[in-house]
Amino acid sequence: MRKIAVLNQKGGVGKTTTVVNTAAALAGMGLKVVVVDLDPQAHLTIHLGLEPQAIMAGSYEVLTKEARFEKEIMLVRPNLWLLPANINLVGAESELVSVVGRETILREAIGPVEDEFDYLIIDCPPSLGLLTLNALAATEEVLIPLQPHFLALQGFGKLLQTVDLVNKRINPDLKVQGILLCMFDTRASLPGEVKADIEHFLEGARGTDCAWAQSRILPTFIRRNIKLAEAPSYGQTIFEYERNCHGAEDYTKVAESIHNQFQLVPQLDAHDGIAEAAEEQDVQTAEQIQEEPAVESVQDADIAIEAGATQEPDAGVEQSHEQPPIEIKEIPQPDSQVQPSELTPTTPPETEQDQPG
Ligand SMILES: Nc1ncnc2c1ncn2[C@@H]1O[C@H](COP(=O)(O)OP(=O)(O)O)[C@@H](O)[C@H]1O
Ligand SMILES: [Mg+2]
């Protein structure tokens, strides 16, 4: 079973959309897929047509060991199973904080289904707290959806560092495999610039032992497509809602690319590529240039955060259950056996929590 965490601590970048439609495309290819809703907002559950209020046992109950993973997963489409979320998940981070081995509960819970599915895909919450740690401990591949706008790289370094920390301390199999550009606007120049910045950053890690040393931007991307934005309110995947649209086409390619170990399936290289998008740079309008100061680099973006701009920019959706970020501490290591419990979630200043995104 391939185990993938779809992660970005920002809201509204395309995580849930990516989980739903990639999973649906893989299921449509005849592969057995189980998706896990680890976001207290339960958007994955809703997007697949279920009401969180009606869920008696889901990911919260699995994490608190009141229920078993293999018993609570539901067949929601042919070949597609879901471990849903309900409102109880809101309290999970604080309730589990004193539980020994709290980072690896999910990993243990999925053990019994290891040979039952081809794919397990986790929709992570928009935070780097305990729920996300559980996702990272339980998976081997991280897929980062990223919306290439001017704040796209803010927090990106911290996200990668967190994955690296989990890789070093809890889960040596964990790697950042791919970065998926979502809501890509082929008419603007910025996506091309953001992409170049990420590539430059990733190049710097090649040959090192960090968890993103082999990661790459997926050779296909998701265009901005209104049908993708409409499908969730009907509780449908893009293939049910509108089979013939860019969104369905793009997510089919993403699924095939993932299944093909992040290579682009040659015969599918049909839609306008990223290179082509970069060629269209000169169509950016004067207003866009004024509105969107370019982020110089990944490092600069993170330095800006350290200098005090600590609020995570939200790319468009409400983040009603923002979780405290994980503190990445330099831990003195008398011996190399550092315990996972040293990954301590911290409580950020209240004022930052209350600000709208
Ligand atoms: N490619 C796209 N084009 C247009 N809208 C999109 C696209 N991808 C996602 N959306 C919409 O953007 C919003 C945020 O996406 P979502 O997948 O929920 O992000 P996240 O899970 O990271 O918060 C949702 O309303 C979704 O329907
Ligand atoms: Mg989501």
Side-chain angles (χ1 to χ4, degrees):
M1 178 166 78
R2 275 179 71 185
K3 291 167 283 206
I4 303 172
V6 176
L7 172 64
N8 190 325
Q9 76 272 37
K10 291 183 194 179
V13 295
K15 291 183 291 295
T16 304
T17 308
T18 296
V19 172
V20 167
N21 296 308
T22 305
L26 289 166
M29 289 156 63
L31 297 155
K32 284 179 74 180
V33 184
V34 57
V35 291
V36 176
D37 195 347
L38 269 197
D39 185 352
Q41 296 172 104
H43 287 171
L44 176 64
T45 303
I46 297 166
H47 197 148
L48 282 166
L50 279 82
E51 287 188 18
Q53 305 91 301
I55 304 299
M56 301 309 290
S59 46
Y60 171 83
E61 286 74 15
V62 168
L63 288 170
T64 53
K65 299 187 181 170
E66 292 160 55
R68 284 166 57 185
F69 185 92
E70 67 274 23
K71 288 259 159 52
E72 304 308 334
I73 51 176
M74 311 162 69
L75 180 65
V76 288
R77 302 291 189 283
N79 287 336
L80 180 58
W81 282 256
L82 165 71
L83 180 69
N86 58 29
I87 191 73
N88 297 339
L89 196 57
V90 173
E93 299 255 354
S94 52
E95 286 172 41
L96 293 173
V97 93
S98 56
V99 174
V100 175
R102 58 189 175 266
E103 296 91 357
T104 51
I105 303 170
L106 186 63
R107 173 159 81 190
E108 281 151 29
I110 65 177
V113 304
E114 182 70 48
D115 299 326
E116 302 293 317
F117 295 95
D118 297 301
Y119 283 90
L120 172 120
I121 306 177
I122 302 179
D123 189 21
C124 295
S127 72
L128 297 174
L130 195 50
L131 291 171
T132 293
L133 285 184
N134 264 274
L136 294 177
T139 52
E140 294 177 349
E141 304 175 37
V142 177
L143 177 65
I144 303 176
L146 200 133
Q147 196 184 343
H149 62 67
F150 82 101
L151 287 174
L153 301 181
Q154 202 165 28
F156 187 63
K158 177 141 186 169
L159 168 54
L160 294 178
Q161 261 184 298
T162 303
V163 177
D164 194 51
L165 196 66
V166 175
N167 163 265
K168 300 282 187 300
R169 307 269 163 87
I170 308 177
N171 181 4
D173 297 326
L174 187 69
K175 297 271 177 296
V176 178
Q177 286 287 17
I179 291 153
L180 175 62
L181 301 177
C182 291
M183 297 179 237
F184 199 96
D185 184 352
T186 50
R187 290 161 305 170
S189 66
L190 205 67
E193 289 168 20
V194 172
K195 179 177 173 279
D197 263 353
I198 299 168
E199 271 168 352
H200 180 73
F201 181 80
L202 297 179
E203 280 309 314
R206 303 282 180 241
T208 70
D209 73 339
C210 72
W212 66 90
Q214 284 152 37
S215 70
R216 49 178 300 178
I217 298 178
L218 261 68
T220 186
F221 60 88
I222 308 300
R223 286 167 284 186
R224 190 172 278 285
N225 178 232
I226 187 71
K227 300 290 178 196
L228 282 170
E230 290 168 359
S233 54
Y234 295 89
Q236 294 181 335
T237 72
I238 196 63
F239 306 101
E240 294 159 344
Y241 183 64
E242 177 56 73
R243 178 159 277 283
N244 298 308
C245 70
H246 285 168
E249 201 180 296
D250 294 349
Y251 274 111
T252 300
K253 283 183 194 171
V254 166
E256 301 209 13
S257 170
I258 288 173
H259 196 54
N260 199 30
Q261 298 294 343
F262 294 89
Q263 306 298 315
L264 187 60
V265 182
Q267 70 270 23
L268 287 169
D269 195 7
H271 82 59
D272 40 354
I274 291 173
E276 236 173 272
E279 278 167 25
E280 290 178 29
Q281 288 196 1
D282 51 357
V283 298
Q284 188 181 27
T285 64
E287 293 96 289
Q288 276 174 315
I289 291 165
Q290 281 188 345
E291 279 171 22
E292 299 179 344
V295 172
E296 295 281 304
S297 68
V298 175
Q299 289 91 335
D300 287 0
D302 285 338
I303 289 163
I305 288 185
E306 276 161 25
T310 50
Q311 188 192 354
E312 284 297 343
D314 184 299
V317 293
E318 54 168 327
Q319 278 181 265
S320 50
H321 304 295
E322 181 75 32
Q323 302 294 340
I326 182 172
E327 183 183 26
I328 299 178
K329 294 195 266 190
E330 273 307 315
I331 298 160
Q333 300 188 19
D335 57 64
S336 58
Q337 291 300 306
V338 177
Q339 294 305 309
S341 57
E342 286 166 323
L343 298 166
T344 318
T346 56
T347 311
E350 276 166 32
T351 47
E352 287 167 12
Q353 290 279 295
D354 298 337
Q355 289 176 19

